[in-house]
Amino acid sequence: MRKEYGKALRDRFDREMKARLPTFKPFKSKSIYLFPGERVYHRILENPIHCFIILVPSRKDTDEFTIEIGWSKPGRFPELGMRPSGRPTPERTEFEQAELVCRLSDFWTREDVWWPVGAVAKLDVLNPKDQMEALMARVKPISPDEANEAVQGPVEESIDRIIAHAVPYLDEFARFQEAA
């Protein structure tokens, strides 16, 4: 993700999380399991159990992001060799695991959903006609106002999905832990 979009994305996501999901606080960690540019928000169920929402900007040359959610019973950022590390199941057997990270999109599709931002988001890069326009959009300078406008809709949509899917799932995980 280009730095202009990345900065606007992180700033907008921070503001939306504070406004719409205030129980999730920014989580600072020097974990080797986090990549540069990622933002982590956590809610502590009871020490040491933590629930996480992770903003994952693309590390590739694409202007897009995804969201991951999960938990850690040891009270740290999940130390998993691979993220995502699992998927939600109807039986919730994953609630027995000490740590888990899944993609937010696992709740409504089997596809790996990424939210595109910017001019390229509106183009079909597989269409030869749009390929040149997409290439030109990649080198065009981006103003802070343009970047803020480009991330607004995708961030709002992703937060809506977090509220609709991730929060109820993590609440269910909390109830499971209390009953265990």
Side-chain angles (χ1 to χ4, degrees):
M1 175 172 273
R2 286 182 280 177
K3 65 181 178 180
E4 298 88 352
Y5 287 138
K7 179 179 179 352
L9 171 65
R10 288 184 292 276
D11 291 347
R12 170 72 65 169
F13 202 84
D14 281 342
R15 285 193 308 273
E16 292 291 325
M17 286 295 292
K18 284 177 189 166
R20 297 177 66 189
L21 291 164
T23 59
F24 284 88
K25 306 293 184 201
F27 181 80
K28 301 292 183 195
S29 174
K30 295 188 186 289
S31 173
I32 62 170
Y33 298 93
L34 283 171
F35 292 97
E38 293 182 337
R39 288 289 191 271
V40 180
Y41 305 85
H42 80 294
R43 181 178 75 182
I44 301 173
L45 298 178
E46 67 177 62
N47 266 331
I49 298 172
H50 291 253
C51 292
F52 295 96
I53 296 172
I54 308 158
L55 171 65
V56 183
S58 176
R59 292 182 297 276
K60 300 177 190 169
D61 193 28
T62 56
D63 296 325
E64 59 187 0
F65 69 94
T66 195
I67 306 293
E68 295 177 343
I69 65 159
W71 63 78
S72 173
K73 293 178 187 178
R76 62 183 182 215
F77 186 79
E79 294 183 1
L80 301 163
M82 200 162 131
R83 285 187 10 224
S85 64
R87 290 181 179 265
T89 62
E91 304 81 24
R92 301 301 192 232
T93 55
E94 69 275 15
F95 286 175
E96 298 286 343
Q97 296 178 34
E99 297 180 310
L100 179 106
V101 173
C102 66
R103 288 280 164 83
L104 176 61
S105 58
D106 288 341
F107 293 102
W108 71 88
T109 184
R110 299 301 279 176
E111 294 178 27
D112 187 14
V113 174
W114 290 72
W115 282 269
V117 299
V120 178
K122 299 173 184 77
L123 300 173
D124 176 6
V125 293
L126 297 178
N127 179 341
K129 177 181 169 276
D130 285 352
Q131 286 176 349
M132 182 56 80
E133 192 173 339
L135 180 61
M136 296 307 290
R138 298 278 319 143
V139 297
K140 178 185 170 266
I142 306 161
S143 74
D145 288 342
E146 287 175 296
N148 286 328
E149 185 178 325
V151 301
Q152 180 178 351
V155 166
E156 288 174 359
E157 181 186 330
S158 67
I159 298 280
D160 290 345
R161 295 283 191 154
I162 290 169
I163 292 168
H165 301 285
V167 171
Y169 177 74
L170 293 172
D171 288 345
E172 184 180 346
F173 171 72
R175 287 189 301 277
F176 179 87
Q177 296 309 308
E178 289 171 1

